Amino acid sequence: MPSRARAGSSVDDTAPGGRLPADLTSFEGRRTDLNQVKRLLGETRLLTLAGFGGVGKTRLALRAARELVRSHPDGVTWVELADVRDPCLLRQAVVEALDLPDLPGRDTWSVALQHVAERRILLVLDNCEHVLEPVAEIVDELLRHSPGLRVLATSRQTLGVPGETVFSVAPLPVPPPEKAAEPGVASLFPSLALFRERAASVVPGFELTPANQVAAVELVRKLEGIPLAIELAAVKLRVLGLDELVRRLDARLDVLRHSARTGPSRHRTIEATIDWSYDLCTDDERTLWARASVFTGGFGVEAAEAVCAGGTLPEEAVLDVLEGLLEKSVLSRVESHGQVRFRMLEPLREHGQHRLRVLGEHDDLVHRHLEWVEGLVGEACLQWFGPLQEAWCTTLRLEQANLRAAAEHCLTHEPCHERSLPLVGTPWFLWIALFLDEGRQWLERAVATCPAPTTDRAVALGTLGYVAGLQGDQARAAEAADEARGIAVALGDSRVEAYATHVAGLSALFHDPQRSKELLTRALGLYDGHDALDDHLTAVRVQLALAHIYCGEVDAAQEHFDACRELCTLTGERWLFSYALYGLGFVEKMRGDAERAVELARQALDIKWFFRDLCGLATTMDLLAWAQADAGRHQDAACLLGAAESLWTSFGIRLFGSPDWLSKMRDAEQACRRELGDRVFETAFRAGREMSHADAIATALGRVQVPSPTALADPTVVKLTRREQQIADLVAEGLSNRAISERLVISPRTAEGHVENILAKLGFHSRSQVAAWVVEKRVTMPSAARS
């Protein structure tokens, strides 16, 4: 849940979908490197920024990614790998960053390969060194399948993939001793500029002057221009003068230089700087630094209090100690979706892990971290069906890396094996609403690791069947449900039997609605006989109502949907509420009230977008398209049918292969074709299909105007200027704005303005739509007219 913290940091609203992380500090001293990286990415499809920890690889990659957004029309996708320790989850991390989190019915990776195959995407893989071999395999496969893809990786080691270009990220240049006193030297040497900027952030008003510049030059020279070392040293200006800082640093480096430690000089320098930061911390700060390293992906105040407090560090002191670590730049503070979290740079986290082992607390802290995750999941289960659901959705997404770490610990440490079953099996909504495909992996591993026929295994099998059914794997769903039911009956646990029967009914829904109705009715009766959680009762009634619709029993379906809507409204639940709205919209469509169906479908769609529930978004988008066709808005309907196909392509099986629903989709398509003609329909359909998910949702909700297929189908309707047509032709050739500016000898800003005007005139959202329009225009217009 939302954590307490003090104000005063940058905001990072990075969310699933590959958005670029926020810059927490300014970018200093890498302009030459940045230009070289951008140039190399124009010449090679795989560029690895290599260098030791703390040298600035991530910061350079992030700035390059920001400046290359416009030259990659299908997006820049950032994949953070520092928190991914299980090689099995690497592909899932890439899939999620590509905005393909749940891919029911098809092999996840195959769909991801298809997704990038015809797109021009820049994929950034940050911190690859700890999973180097599997990352290399993934990159090689992606590049072979996707000619328009470029990959930018950061790693302490090269990937070793054929065609890889390596850019060695060096420390920042430092001034030679003879220039130490020259005026303006900071503007010539990035290391000194970085120190000046960081020192000013620590000591307001700090400036380089003739009196302190020589000492500052000596400092950055001793630190060999290493950015992380410079940042950590600058923090110490809070308590030391610059001259004293240089003297103490010199003493530490001399001790290290004459010790038994081995390794390159620069590795020893960063090690010495981190050691010094550790030594300058208070005892409580050292304790918290070491203990907090057990978290992956960051943590909040309450998590730190729960896991890290104890012994000499009382819970009530944790908040103040966190503030001390923030002031020393050991932690960085980010705010995401209103929740404050703390992170360590990977070299600092590694140092904390080492100290934790030296202190003999590592195993105990890992155990406490697992207990905290179990408590988090337990609270989520109790509070999911209620007014805190959306907050829990945000929290669980933010804690995904910690959930992974806890599950991996359970499955790789024999004494904890059995704890994996309730951890991944009980929170069914975690996988259905948030991480469908990843859930399948954890559930399969858990039931394979724990074969004893226990209640926990039966529940995990039920959740596994639920996930498999929504993925379109009905054989595995039925198998898991049958085994779960067998265990429940043998143990006399009718509540778990209800869950297993529920899952079996869901599995039958899309191919045998009568059988599904019977199973779901039986499950509802079993649930009613126990103190069942409201989420199970509501979910089974939503699915039972859909079975009634399949069987043509509209009144019975409405009764169940109304009951679900009323209960969700009463309790403040939102996710299943959106399914009740969807179902009621379906009922209104069946009864012929297209306008009411549109209204309800839009309400459902708006809620589902918050959860990024692609399964629900796809089904609701189709329903909205059908209702718009019934209402006579065929142009809108054609565009939405295309957008729905794009969503379903992520899943693999449109409308779960249901003959009834597929028939309704074909009816809507035929109605649109009759009214618009094949040419206009196809163009509108393509426009919808090529939209991003966000643009598709905005269009469906009426927040963005549907592109005009009439203008698309008749090239004479849209009039571009001669220059605009020239630029549109170059866009169709795949040229970036910069390449267009070079070809036409105009400024990049002018080229960008022309492209934006073209998009606005055509009512398009992407360069790929412009390219399709140009190609169609060339085909349809006589050669004389084109000339």
Side-chain angles (χ1 to χ4, degrees):
M1 301 304 296
S3 301
R4 295 181 287 115
R6 299 185 181 180
S9 74
S10 301
V11 174
D12 178 4
D13 268 331
T14 304
R19 290 169 55 187
L20 296 176
D23 275 319
L24 297 180
T25 53
S26 63
F27 183 77
E28 289 285 351
R30 293 283 189 191
R31 177 51 60 181
T32 300
D33 288 348
L34 179 61
N35 291 336
Q36 179 77 338
V37 167
K38 290 161 63 177
R39 183 186 66 79
L40 288 172
L41 277 171
E43 300 171 354
T44 182
R45 297 183 58 216
L46 170 59
L47 178 63
T48 299
L49 306 185
F52 57 87
V55 77
K57 302 182 297 294
T58 296
R59 183 64 55 80
L60 179 58
L62 178 57
R63 181 51 61 102
R66 289 195 187 286
E67 296 198 5
L68 290 169
V69 167
R70 292 190 178 277
S71 60
H72 292 80
D74 296 308
V76 175
T77 297
W78 184 278
V79 189
E80 172 56 68
L81 297 180
D83 300 324
V84 181
R85 301 288 164 175
D86 182 356
C88 297
L89 293 176
L90 286 174
R91 283 180 168 81
Q92 180 64 24
V94 174
V95 167
E96 290 180 1
L98 288 169
D99 206 9
L100 302 173
D102 304 324
L103 309 174
R106 292 181 61 187
D107 174 67
T108 304
W109 190 241
S110 296
V111 176
L113 291 174
Q114 179 182 337
H115 175 79
V116 300
E118 298 179 356
R119 289 174 167 83
R120 295 172 58 199
I121 293 173
L122 174 62
L123 181 68
V124 188
L125 303 175
D126 189 35
N127 291 301
C128 299
E129 56 276 346
H130 59 293
V131 279
L132 201 63
E133 188 172 331
V135 167
E137 293 175 0
I138 287 172
V139 169
D140 184 55
E141 189 173 10
L142 279 167
L143 292 174
R144 283 188 288 105
H145 282 82
S146 315
L149 177 71
R150 275 173 165 66
V151 177
L152 176 61
T154 74
S155 178
R156 298 183 193 181
Q157 295 177 255
T158 61
L159 302 188
V161 175
E164 177 183 25
T165 299
V166 178
F167 181 83
S168 295
V169 181
L172 298 172
V174 299
E178 61 271 17
K179 290 185 178 292
E182 286 187 8
V185 70
S187 62
L188 301 176
F189 291 92
S191 58
L192 197 57
L194 175 65
F195 175 75
R196 179 180 59 188
E197 191 267 342
R198 297 299 186 266
S201 70
V202 171
V203 181
F206 176 90
E207 294 180 359
L208 287 178
T209 67
N212 65 18
Q213 182 172 291
V214 172
V217 168
E218 186 178 357
L219 179 75
V220 298
R221 286 181 55 79
K222 290 182 182 298
L223 294 176
E224 303 185 64
I226 300 169
L228 178 57
I230 292 171
E231 295 190 25
L232 292 175
V235 170
K236 297 173 179 62
L237 290 176
R238 286 194 175 99
V239 293
L240 296 172
L242 183 52
D243 290 336
E244 179 67 11
L245 176 59
V246 172
R247 283 195 297 273
R248 291 185 179 232
L249 174 63
D250 194 44
R252 293 198 65 85
L253 291 176
D254 282 342
V255 169
L256 186 62
R257 208 169 282 127
H258 292 94
S259 71
R261 302 188 195 188
T262 60
S265 167
R266 285 165 177 163
H267 287 270
R268 296 200 304 272
T269 298
I270 191 68
E271 184 181 357
T273 310
I274 295 175
D275 280 345
W276 190 16
S277 291
Y278 183 85
D279 291 346
L280 289 178
C281 287
T282 66
D283 287 342
D284 284 348
E285 288 167 351
R286 293 175 194 169
T287 298
L288 186 55
W289 180 345
R291 292 178 179 178
S293 70
V294 76
F295 291 103
T296 59
F299 59 93
V301 174
E302 292 175 3
E305 291 171 338
V307 176
C308 302
T312 60
L313 180 62
E315 181 177 326
E316 59 271 18
V318 168
L319 183 58
D320 288 333
V321 179
L322 279 173
E323 187 171 28
L325 291 176
L326 278 171
E327 291 174 350
K328 292 178 173 65
S329 294
V330 174
L331 295 176
S332 59
R333 178 189 186 276
V334 294
E335 187 172 340
S336 182
H337 303 285
Q339 296 195 28
V340 173
R341 295 175 65 77
F342 305 92
R343 291 187 67 109
M344 288 184 196
L345 291 174
E346 196 61 18
L348 301 179
R349 183 170 176 268
E350 290 171 358
H351 185 88
Q353 288 273 293
H354 168 71
R355 293 289 182 175
L356 201 58
R357 288 184 171 89
V358 170
L359 294 169
E361 293 187 351
H362 182 267
D363 291 346
D364 179 55
L365 263 293
V366 169
H367 179 75
R368 291 170 67 177
H369 178 268
L370 172 58
E371 288 186 328
W372 169 72
V373 171
E374 289 173 328
L376 186 78
V377 169
E379 284 296 309
C381 289
L382 290 175
Q383 299 181 25
W384 177 257
F385 193 90
L388 298 177
Q389 186 180 73
E390 290 181 341
W392 274 112
C393 173
T394 298
T395 295
L396 292 170
R397 287 196 183 280
L398 290 173
E399 300 297 355
Q400 183 181 12
N402 284 308
L403 291 168
R404 286 171 170 171
E408 186 65 29
H409 177 73
C410 287
L411 291 167
T412 54
H413 292 76
E414 187 172 353
C416 298
H417 279 352
E418 294 297 326
R419 294 169 73 171
S420 68
L421 290 170
L423 180 64
V424 303
T426 304
W428 66 279
F429 54 85
L430 182 62
W431 316 121
I432 307 303
L434 303 182
F435 311 121
L436 188 66
D437 193 70
E438 181 174 333
R440 176 76 177 269
Q441 298 180 49
W442 291 119
L443 290 159
E444 292 282 15
R445 287 182 64 187
V447 299
T449 303
C450 308
T454 62
T455 297
D456 285 339
R457 176 176 171 81
V459 172
L461 283 164
T463 303
L464 172 58
Y466 209 141
V467 170
L470 290 179
Q471 288 181 317
D473 189 352
Q474 304 309 334
R476 181 59 174 138
E479 178 186 22
D482 286 346
E483 185 180 351
R485 183 178 179 279
I487 294 173
V489 170
L491 296 177
D493 192 329
S494 55
R495 181 171 174 175
V496 178
E497 182 186 355
Y499 187 39
T501 306
H502 173 183
V503 171
L506 173 64
S507 178
L509 178 61
F510 306 112
H511 61 87
D512 190 348
Q514 190 62 44
R515 173 65 174 160
S516 173
K517 189 170 66 170
E518 294 169 2
L519 288 168
L520 292 170
T521 300
R522 186 187 310 165
L524 185 60
L526 288 168
Y527 279 140
D528 282 341
H530 292 272
D531 183 23
L533 294 174
D534 287 336
D535 52 5
H536 285 309
L537 281 169
T538 306
V540 78
R541 293 194 76 163
V542 165
Q543 292 147 17
L544 179 56
L546 289 172
H548 280 297
I549 284 184
Y550 274 129
C551 294
E553 299 159 359
V554 178
D555 290 343
Q558 180 174 357
E559 181 181 343
H560 285 295
F561 284 133
D562 278 336
C564 294
R565 179 172 60 175
E566 290 170 9
L567 180 58
C568 291
T569 300
L570 182 66
T571 59
E573 199 278 349
R574 299 288 289 167
W575 179 58
L576 287 170
F577 178 66
S578 72
Y579 279 93
L581 292 174
Y582 162 81
L584 290 169
F586 210 144
V587 166
E588 295 298 342
K589 183 217 163 2
M590 298 288 285
R591 289 176 172 162
D593 191 342
E595 296 297 346
R596 180 60 176 156
V598 167
E599 180 184 351
L600 289 165
R602 281 179 163 172
Q603 291 176 23
L605 204 63
D606 202 13
I607 297 171
K608 290 178 183 299
W609 180 240
F610 173 84
F611 292 94
R612 298 302 192 266
D613 174 10
L614 289 188
C615 178
L617 288 168
T619 53
T620 308
M621 185 74 78
D622 258 324
L623 173 64
L624 181 57
W626 307 342
Q628 292 284 34
D630 289 350
R633 291 184 282 273
H634 300 98
Q635 191 165 292
D636 290 7
C639 181
L640 296 177
L641 285 169
E645 181 178 90
S646 176
L647 287 163
W648 283 109
T649 297
S650 302
F651 286 51
I653 300 178
R654 187 159 191 176
L655 294 163
F656 308 105
S658 163
D660 183 68
W661 280 359
L662 289 171
S663 175
K664 289 179 171 56
M665 181 194 73
R666 286 190 290 269
D667 289 345
E669 179 180 331
Q670 290 170 5
C672 292
R673 286 183 182 275
R674 282 195 302 270
E675 292 298 321
L676 300 174
D678 289 344
R679 183 181 204 44
V680 175
F681 173 84
E682 292 292 348
T683 309
F685 184 91
R686 184 174 62 247
R689 186 180 57 202
E690 292 178 352
M691 289 180 184
S692 68
H693 290 172
D695 284 344
I697 299 303
T699 302
L701 296 176
R703 295 169 184 166
V704 174
Q705 185 177 358
V706 174
S708 169
T710 302
L712 293 172
D714 183 358
T716 64
V717 173
V718 175
K719 299 294 185 182
L720 299 183
T721 66
R722 182 183 295 274
R723 176 63 91 182
E724 287 170 346
Q725 184 61 58
Q726 189 179 24
I727 289 176
D729 291 340
L730 295 176
V731 169
E733 292 179 22
L735 271 65
S736 67
N737 288 347
R738 179 169 293 279
I740 291 171
S741 70
E742 293 172 354
R743 176 79 65 86
L744 301 180
V745 196
I746 58 177
S747 73
R749 183 64 62 86
T750 300
E752 179 183 340
H754 280 307
V755 171
E756 290 176 352
N757 289 339
I758 292 167
L759 290 170
K761 281 188 176 183
L762 296 174
F764 288 158
H765 300 274
S766 70
R767 299 169 77 94
S768 59
Q769 289 175 298
V770 174
W773 178 81
V774 169
V775 171
E776 182 174 357
K777 183 180 178 183
R778 289 171 180 168
V779 171
T780 58
M781 291 186 69
S783 58
R786 290 201 301 271
S787 62

